Amino acid sequence: PRSLVESGGGSVQPGGSLTLSCAPSGATYGRNSMAWFRQAPGKEREAVAGIFVGGGIAYYAASVEGRFTLSQDNAKNTLYLQMNNLKPEDTAMYYCAADRLLVVPWDSPTYSDWGQGTQVTVSS
């Protein structure tokens, strides 16, 4: 079993919205770095958004800046990704990642914990 579980994916039309969530499963520990990655078939995995939990500082890929927003429920150790004005290019499998340590740079694919992934499809 994975230590992280994503949910909230689905199919929407361009311009639609979805909210993804990432929650712990099983044993948990303090996570200082969390991020969302995505990967489309035949393409490289790319970082979408990330946060250094302790400092409350969030980062976004240029392709989603202004459209996606990270938020947290610290009591539940849950990370959310609000996605607005979705575009066909956003279609991908989205993965949540976390690490007990600070991952620098934030978009490095070296996180220790990964979720199973949740599919996001944007098409008309």
Side-chain angles (χ1 to χ4, degrees):
R2 304 295 181 181
S3 59
L4 300 172
V5 178
E6 306 98 332
S7 62
S11 298
V12 298
Q13 294 184 332
S17 299
L18 286 172
T19 299
L20 306 183
S21 64
C22 174
S25 178
T28 185
Y29 55 87
R31 293 181 170 87
N32 288 317
S33 300
M34 298 188 73
W36 286 96
F37 288 75
R38 67 186 182 187
Q39 185 170 28
K43 297 184 179 180
E44 297 181 351
R45 182 170 298 187
E46 63 175 344
V48 177
I51 186 170
F52 294 141
V53 179
I57 302 174
Y59 301 88
Y60 301 92
S63 60
V64 305
E65 183 74 41
R67 298 189 297 120
F68 292 9
T69 304
L70 287 172
S71 63
Q72 297 174 270
D73 184 336
N74 292 328
K76 299 179 180 179
N77 296 125
T78 300
L79 181 70
Y80 302 93
L81 182 65
Q82 176 70 35
M83 306 185 295
N84 297 322
N85 191 25
L86 285 162
K87 304 176 180 180
E89 65 192 61
D90 296 317
T91 296
M93 183 72 74
Y94 284 69
Y95 299 90
C96 180
D99 201 294
R100 190 171 187 174
L101 305 177
L102 294 178
V103 177
V104 180
W106 72 271
D107 56 349
S108 176
T110 58
Y111 292 80
S112 60
D113 296 335
W114 292 83
Q116 187 72 25
T118 184
Q119 179 68 40
V120 172
T121 302
V122 185
S123 66
S124 59

Tab-separated table of all heavy atoms in Angstrom, residues 2 4-7 20-22 34-41 43-50 70 79 81 83 92-98 106 111 113-120:
chain	number	residue	atom	x	y	z
A	2	ARG	N	0.347	2.266	-0.675
A	2	ARG	CA	1.046	3.528	-0.717
A	2	ARG	C	0.768	4.319	0.546
A	2	ARG	O	-0.275	4.137	1.189
A	2	ARG	CB	0.608	4.328	-1.941
A	2	ARG	CG	0.795	3.597	-3.259
A	2	ARG	CD	2.260	3.351	-3.546
A	2	ARG	NE	2.439	2.662	-4.812
A	2	ARG	CZ	3.621	2.305	-5.296
A	2	ARG	NH1	4.727	2.595	-4.631
A	2	ARG	NH2	3.691	1.664	-6.454
A	4	LEU	N	0.427	7.550	0.511
A	4	LEU	CA	-0.378	8.691	0.108
A	4	LEU	C	-1.483	8.231	-0.834
A	4	LEU	O	-1.271	7.345	-1.653
A	4	LEU	CB	0.479	9.742	-0.606
A	4	LEU	CG	1.632	10.357	0.184
A	4	LEU	CD1	2.484	11.226	-0.731
A	4	LEU	CD2	1.100	11.177	1.355
A	5	VAL	N	-2.639	8.847	-0.720
A	5	VAL	CA	-3.775	8.503	-1.560
A	5	VAL	C	-4.346	9.766	-2.179
A	5	VAL	O	-4.729	10.689	-1.468
A	5	VAL	CB	-4.869	7.775	-0.762
A	5	VAL	CG1	-6.057	7.472	-1.673
A	5	VAL	CG2	-4.326	6.496	-0.158
A	6	GLU	N	-4.412	9.795	-3.517
A	6	GLU	CA	-4.989	10.929	-4.224
A	6	GLU	C	-6.434	10.635	-4.591
A	6	GLU	O	-6.811	9.483	-4.814
A	6	GLU	CB	-4.213	11.243	-5.512
A	6	GLU	CG	-2.718	11.446	-5.328
A	6	GLU	CD	-1.926	10.199	-5.660
A	6	GLU	OE1	-2.471	9.087	-5.525
A	6	GLU	OE2	-0.752	10.340	-6.062
A	7	SER	N	-7.217	11.688	-4.699
A	7	SER	CA	-8.592	11.559	-5.144
A	7	SER	C	-9.029	12.872	-5.764
A	7	SER	O	-8.358	13.895	-5.610
A	7	SER	CB	-9.523	11.182	-3.987
A	7	SER	OG	-9.531	12.186	-2.988
A	20	LEU	N	-8.200	18.317	-6.432
A	20	LEU	CA	-7.546	17.081	-6.062
A	20	LEU	C	-7.162	17.122	-4.592
A	20	LEU	O	-6.836	18.182	-4.060
A	20	LEU	CB	-6.285	16.856	-6.896
A	20	LEU	CG	-6.442	16.911	-8.416
A	20	LEU	CD1	-5.108	16.583	-9.080
A	20	LEU	CD2	-7.531	15.955	-8.888
A	21	SER	N	-7.179	15.977	-3.955
A	21	SER	CA	-6.763	15.894	-2.565
A	21	SER	C	-5.723	14.803	-2.397
A	21	SER	O	-5.713	13.814	-3.132
A	21	SER	CB	-7.955	15.634	-1.636
A	21	SER	OG	-8.550	14.373	-1.914
A	22	CYS	N	-4.864	14.986	-1.433
A	22	CYS	CA	-3.806	14.031	-1.124
A	22	CYS	C	-3.816	13.822	0.378
A	22	CYS	O	-3.545	14.754	1.139
A	22	CYS	CB	-2.454	14.566	-1.597
A	22	CYS	SG	-1.038	13.547	-1.126
A	34	MET	N	5.718	18.781	0.210
A	34	MET	CA	4.676	18.080	-0.528
A	34	MET	C	4.545	18.733	-1.893
A	34	MET	O	4.796	19.930	-2.048
A	34	MET	CB	3.336	18.118	0.209
A	34	MET	CG	3.367	17.433	1.559
A	34	MET	SD	1.733	17.273	2.324
A	34	MET	CE	1.024	15.966	1.299
A	35	ALA	N	4.146	17.930	-2.876
A	35	ALA	CA	4.055	18.447	-4.236
A	35	ALA	C	3.106	17.611	-5.078
A	35	ALA	O	2.777	16.470	-4.733
A	35	ALA	CB	5.437	18.476	-4.883
A	36	TRP	N	2.679	18.190	-6.173
A	36	TRP	CA	1.895	17.498	-7.183
A	36	TRP	C	2.706	17.414	-8.465
A	36	TRP	O	3.281	18.414	-8.912
A	36	TRP	CB	0.577	18.221	-7.470
A	36	TRP	CG	-0.442	18.081	-6.393
A	36	TRP	CD1	-0.699	18.941	-5.376
A	36	TRP	CD2	-1.369	16.998	-6.243
A	36	TRP	NE1	-1.717	18.472	-4.591
A	36	TRP	CE2	-2.148	17.276	-5.106
A	36	TRP	CE3	-1.614	15.826	-6.958
A	36	TRP	CZ2	-3.161	16.415	-4.664
A	36	TRP	CZ3	-2.612	14.971	-6.519
A	36	TRP	CH2	-3.365	15.273	-5.385
A	37	PHE	N	2.757	16.228	-9.031
A	37	PHE	CA	3.372	16.002	-10.324
A	37	PHE	C	2.310	15.465	-11.274
A	37	PHE	O	1.264	14.983	-10.845
A	37	PHE	CB	4.520	14.988	-10.224
A	37	PHE	CG	5.755	15.514	-9.546
A	37	PHE	CD1	5.795	15.671	-8.170
A	37	PHE	CD2	6.886	15.840	-10.285
A	37	PHE	CE1	6.927	16.146	-7.543
A	37	PHE	CE2	8.031	16.312	-9.665
A	37	PHE	CZ	8.047	16.470	-8.288
A	38	ARG	N	2.583	15.530	-12.559
A	38	ARG	CA	1.677	14.949	-13.528
A	38	ARG	C	2.471	14.338	-14.668
A	38	ARG	O	3.588	14.747	-14.961
A	38	ARG	CB	0.685	15.988	-14.068
A	38	ARG	CG	1.307	17.090	-14.917
A	38	ARG	CD	0.257	18.131	-15.271
A	38	ARG	NE	0.793	19.182	-16.119
A	38	ARG	CZ	0.130	20.278	-16.459
A	38	ARG	NH1	-1.112	20.466	-16.016
A	38	ARG	NH2	0.696	21.186	-17.243
A	39	GLN	N	1.867	13.345	-15.310
A	39	GLN	CA	2.527	12.676	-16.407
A	39	GLN	C	1.497	12.192	-17.419
A	39	GLN	O	0.571	11.466	-17.076
A	39	GLN	CB	3.361	11.493	-15.911
A	39	GLN	CG	4.184	10.824	-16.987
A	39	GLN	CD	5.169	9.825	-16.416
A	39	GLN	OE1	4.940	9.250	-15.353
A	39	GLN	NE2	6.276	9.621	-17.111
A	40	ALA	N	1.682	12.601	-18.652
A	40	ALA	CA	0.844	12.147	-19.747
A	40	ALA	C	1.551	10.992	-20.449
A	40	ALA	O	2.778	10.892	-20.402
A	40	ALA	CB	0.581	13.284	-20.725
A	41	PRO	N	0.806	10.104	-21.107
A	41	PRO	CA	1.422	8.964	-21.797
A	41	PRO	C	2.503	9.410	-22.767
A	41	PRO	O	2.287	10.316	-23.574
A	41	PRO	CB	0.249	8.328	-22.529
A	41	PRO	CG	-0.932	8.665	-21.685
A	41	PRO	CD	-0.659	10.068	-21.222
A	43	LYS	N	5.159	11.009	-22.155
A	43	LYS	CA	5.818	12.243	-21.782
A	43	LYS	C	6.486	12.118	-20.423
A	43	LYS	O	6.184	11.217	-19.649
A	43	LYS	CB	4.820	13.401	-21.767
A	43	LYS	CG	4.200	13.703	-23.124
A	43	LYS	CD	3.297	14.914	-23.055
A	43	LYS	CE	2.704	15.237	-24.415
A	43	LYS	NZ	1.814	16.436	-24.346
A	44	GLU	N	7.398	13.024	-20.157
A	44	GLU	CA	8.102	13.028	-18.883
A	44	GLU	C	7.194	13.513	-17.764
A	44	GLU	O	6.279	14.300	-17.973
A	44	GLU	CB	9.335	13.927	-18.957
A	44	GLU	CG	10.390	13.471	-19.953
A	44	GLU	CD	11.597	14.382	-19.959
A	44	GLU	OE1	11.547	15.454	-19.330
A	44	GLU	OE2	12.600	14.016	-20.584
A	45	ARG	N	7.469	13.018	-16.579
A	45	ARG	CA	6.751	13.509	-15.420
A	45	ARG	C	7.223	14.923	-15.107
A	45	ARG	O	8.417	15.209	-15.111
A	45	ARG	CB	6.995	12.591	-14.218
A	45	ARG	CG	6.245	12.995	-12.964
A	45	ARG	CD	6.332	11.919	-11.896
A	45	ARG	NE	5.717	10.675	-12.334
A	45	ARG	CZ	5.530	9.623	-11.553
A	45	ARG	NH1	5.900	9.665	-10.276
A	45	ARG	NH2	4.974	8.521	-12.049
A	46	GLU	N	6.289	15.803	-14.840
A	46	GLU	CA	6.624	17.183	-14.565
A	46	GLU	C	5.983	17.659	-13.271
A	46	GLU	O	4.883	17.242	-12.915
A	46	GLU	CB	6.198	18.084	-15.728
A	46	GLU	CG	4.705	18.115	-15.975
A	46	GLU	CD	4.306	19.099	-17.060
A	46	GLU	OE1	5.127	19.965	-17.412
A	46	GLU	OE2	3.162	18.995	-17.563
A	47	ALA	N	6.684	18.533	-12.592
A	47	ALA	CA	6.163	19.116	-11.364
A	47	ALA	C	5.102	20.153	-11.693
A	47	ALA	O	5.238	20.920	-12.650
A	47	ALA	CB	7.290	19.749	-10.563
A	48	VAL	N	4.059	20.183	-10.906
A	48	VAL	CA	2.954	21.108	-11.106
A	48	VAL	C	2.935	22.187	-10.028
A	48	VAL	O	2.861	23.377	-10.314
A	48	VAL	CB	1.606	20.372	-11.124
A	48	VAL	CG1	0.449	21.353	-11.260
A	48	VAL	CG2	1.584	19.344	-12.248
A	49	ALA	N	2.975	21.762	-8.784
A	49	ALA	CA	2.940	22.683	-7.659
A	49	ALA	C	3.531	22.007	-6.438
A	49	ALA	O	3.458	20.795	-6.300
A	49	ALA	CB	1.506	23.140	-7.372
A	50	GLY	N	4.105	22.793	-5.555
A	50	GLY	CA	4.703	22.238	-4.354
A	50	GLY	C	4.682	23.226	-3.215
A	50	GLY	O	4.464	24.424	-3.415
A	70	LEU	N	-2.753	25.752	-4.314
A	70	LEU	CA	-2.548	24.776	-3.252
A	70	LEU	C	-3.181	25.266	-1.954
A	70	LEU	O	-3.183	26.462	-1.670
A	70	LEU	CB	-1.062	24.537	-3.004
A	70	LEU	CG	-0.277	23.729	-4.037
A	70	LEU	CD1	1.207	23.782	-3.699
A	70	LEU	CD2	-0.759	22.293	-4.072
A	79	LEU	N	-3.343	17.691	1.589
A	79	LEU	CA	-2.994	18.729	0.629
A	79	LEU	C	-4.019	18.736	-0.491
A	79	LEU	O	-4.398	17.684	-1.002
A	79	LEU	CB	-1.599	18.479	0.057
A	79	LEU	CG	-1.074	19.492	-0.959
A	79	LEU	CD1	-0.765	20.818	-0.267
A	79	LEU	CD2	0.174	18.948	-1.647
A	81	LEU	N	-5.303	20.545	-4.294
A	81	LEU	CA	-4.925	21.288	-5.486
A	81	LEU	C	-6.198	21.708	-6.194
A	81	LEU	O	-6.876	20.882	-6.805
A	81	LEU	CB	-4.049	20.447	-6.420
A	81	LEU	CG	-3.564	21.159	-7.684
A	81	LEU	CD1	-2.625	22.306	-7.323
A	81	LEU	CD2	-2.869	20.180	-8.623
A	83	MET	N	-7.898	23.316	-9.179
A	83	MET	CA	-7.551	23.536	-10.566
A	83	MET	C	-8.712	24.224	-11.272
A	83	MET	O	-9.802	23.658	-11.369
A	83	MET	CB	-7.211	22.213	-11.262
A	83	MET	CG	-6.130	21.407	-10.554
A	83	MET	SD	-5.641	19.923	-11.477
A	83	MET	CE	-7.175	18.999	-11.406
A	92	ALA	N	-3.618	14.466	-17.780
A	92	ALA	CA	-2.493	13.658	-17.314
A	92	ALA	C	-2.903	12.877	-16.077
A	92	ALA	O	-3.966	13.103	-15.507
A	92	ALA	CB	-1.288	14.546	-16.989
A	93	MET	N	-2.040	11.958	-15.683
A	93	MET	CA	-2.183	11.312	-14.394
A	93	MET	C	-1.476	12.202	-13.381
A	93	MET	O	-0.308	12.558	-13.578
A	93	MET	CB	-1.562	9.918	-14.412
A	93	MET	CG	-1.737	9.151	-13.112
A	93	MET	SD	-3.443	8.583	-12.848
A	93	MET	CE	-3.523	7.239	-14.038
A	94	TYR	N	-2.177	12.560	-12.329
A	94	TYR	CA	-1.621	13.427	-11.314
A	94	TYR	C	-1.212	12.632	-10.089
A	94	TYR	O	-1.977	11.811	-9.579
A	94	TYR	CB	-2.633	14.506	-10.920
A	94	TYR	CG	-2.749	15.607	-11.942
A	94	TYR	CD1	-3.313	15.372	-13.190
A	94	TYR	CD2	-2.274	16.896	-11.671
A	94	TYR	CE1	-3.403	16.373	-14.137
A	94	TYR	CE2	-2.368	17.903	-12.614
A	94	TYR	CZ	-2.928	17.639	-13.841
A	94	TYR	OH	-3.024	18.641	-14.781
A	95	TYR	N	-0.007	12.890	-9.611
A	95	TYR	CA	0.551	12.178	-8.474
A	95	TYR	C	0.887	13.133	-7.346
A	95	TYR	O	1.420	14.217	-7.571
A	95	TYR	CB	1.832	11.434	-8.862
A	95	TYR	CG	1.652	10.394	-9.938
A	95	TYR	CD1	1.797	10.722	-11.274
A	95	TYR	CD2	1.351	9.075	-9.603
A	95	TYR	CE1	1.640	9.764	-12.263
A	95	TYR	CE2	1.199	8.115	-10.582
A	95	TYR	CZ	1.339	8.466	-11.915
A	95	TYR	OH	1.189	7.509	-12.885
A	96	CYS	N	0.603	12.704	-6.144
A	96	CYS	CA	1.000	13.443	-4.962
A	96	CYS	C	2.322	12.882	-4.461
A	96	CYS	O	2.563	11.676	-4.522
A	96	CYS	CB	-0.069	13.323	-3.874
A	96	CYS	SG	0.324	14.209	-2.348
A	97	ALA	N	3.182	13.753	-3.977
A	97	ALA	CA	4.472	13.342	-3.438
A	97	ALA	C	4.743	14.076	-2.141
A	97	ALA	O	4.291	15.210	-1.952
A	97	ALA	CB	5.586	13.630	-4.442
A	98	ALA	N	5.488	13.432	-1.250
A	98	ALA	CA	5.808	14.048	0.033
A	98	ALA	C	7.148	13.549	0.536
A	98	ALA	O	7.625	12.483	0.144
A	98	ALA	CB	4.716	13.745	1.060
A	106	TRP	N	12.097	22.436	-5.216
A	106	TRP	CA	10.796	21.838	-4.940
A	106	TRP	C	10.316	20.896	-6.034
A	106	TRP	O	9.564	19.957	-5.753
A	106	TRP	CB	9.748	22.940	-4.738
A	106	TRP	CG	9.377	23.638	-6.015
A	106	TRP	CD1	9.967	24.736	-6.559
A	106	TRP	CD2	8.334	23.257	-6.915
A	106	TRP	NE1	9.346	25.074	-7.743
A	106	TRP	CE2	8.346	24.186	-7.983
A	106	TRP	CE3	7.378	22.237	-6.913
A	106	TRP	CZ2	7.447	24.120	-9.050
A	106	TRP	CZ3	6.481	22.156	-7.977
A	106	TRP	CH2	6.522	23.096	-9.022
A	111	TYR	N	11.163	12.930	-4.095
A	111	TYR	CA	10.340	12.748	-2.908
A	111	TYR	C	10.295	11.279	-2.518
A	111	TYR	O	10.280	10.395	-3.380
A	111	TYR	CB	8.924	13.268	-3.156
A	111	TYR	CG	8.855	14.769	-3.304
A	111	TYR	CD1	9.193	15.386	-4.508
A	111	TYR	CD2	8.454	15.572	-2.239
A	111	TYR	CE1	9.145	16.766	-4.644
A	111	TYR	CE2	8.399	16.947	-2.374
A	111	TYR	CZ	8.743	17.545	-3.580
A	111	TYR	OH	8.687	18.912	-3.713
A	113	ASP	N	7.886	9.614	-0.717
A	113	ASP	CA	6.554	9.010	-0.726
A	113	ASP	C	5.756	9.470	-1.930
A	113	ASP	O	5.739	10.657	-2.258
A	113	ASP	CB	5.792	9.367	0.554
A	113	ASP	CG	6.436	8.798	1.802
A	113	ASP	OD1	7.151	7.782	1.692
A	113	ASP	OD2	6.234	9.369	2.893
A	114	TRP	N	5.064	8.517	-2.561
A	114	TRP	CA	4.259	8.812	-3.738
A	114	TRP	C	2.915	8.123	-3.648
A	114	TRP	O	2.790	7.044	-3.069
A	114	TRP	CB	4.967	8.347	-5.011
A	114	TRP	CG	6.206	9.126	-5.318
A	114	TRP	CD1	7.450	8.924	-4.804
A	114	TRP	CD2	6.316	10.233	-6.209
A	114	TRP	NE1	8.336	9.842	-5.318
A	114	TRP	CE2	7.670	10.655	-6.182
A	114	TRP	CE3	5.416	10.920	-7.025
A	114	TRP	CZ2	8.126	11.729	-6.952
A	114	TRP	CZ3	5.868	11.981	-7.788
A	114	TRP	CH2	7.214	12.372	-7.746
A	115	GLY	N	1.914	8.749	-4.238
A	115	GLY	CA	0.596	8.151	-4.295
A	115	GLY	C	0.410	7.326	-5.553
A	115	GLY	O	1.293	7.251	-6.411
A	116	GLN	N	-0.755	6.716	-5.670
A	116	GLN	CA	-1.074	5.867	-6.809
A	116	GLN	C	-1.378	6.674	-8.064
A	116	GLN	O	-1.159	6.206	-9.180
A	116	GLN	CB	-2.271	4.978	-6.470
A	116	GLN	CG	-2.604	3.926	-7.515
A	116	GLN	CD	-1.598	2.800	-7.541
A	116	GLN	OE1	-0.930	2.539	-6.539
A	116	GLN	NE2	-1.493	2.125	-8.673
A	117	GLY	N	-1.878	7.873	-7.893
A	117	GLY	CA	-2.218	8.722	-9.012
A	117	GLY	C	-3.716	8.818	-9.224
A	117	GLY	O	-4.464	7.898	-8.912
A	118	THR	N	-4.154	9.944	-9.758
A	118	THR	CA	-5.550	10.145	-10.104
A	118	THR	C	-5.613	10.808	-11.477
A	118	THR	O	-4.879	11.753	-11.752
A	118	THR	CB	-6.282	10.990	-9.028
A	118	THR	OG1	-7.672	11.083	-9.352
A	118	THR	CG2	-5.697	12.391	-8.925
A	119	GLN	N	-6.471	10.296	-12.340
A	119	GLN	CA	-6.520	10.744	-13.723
A	119	GLN	C	-7.345	12.012	-13.875
A	119	GLN	O	-8.457	12.122	-13.361
A	119	GLN	CB	-7.099	9.649	-14.617
A	119	GLN	CG	-7.213	10.023	-16.089
A	119	GLN	CD	-5.864	10.182	-16.757
A	119	GLN	OE1	-4.946	9.393	-16.489
A	119	GLN	NE2	-5.725	11.184	-17.610
A	120	VAL	N	-6.794	12.957	-14.620
A	120	VAL	CA	-7.503	14.180	-14.980
A	120	VAL	C	-7.555	14.250	-16.495
A	120	VAL	O	-6.520	14.200	-17.165
A	120	VAL	CB	-6.800	15.436	-14.422
A	120	VAL	CG1	-7.442	16.704	-14.987
A	120	VAL	CG2	-6.865	15.437	-12.906
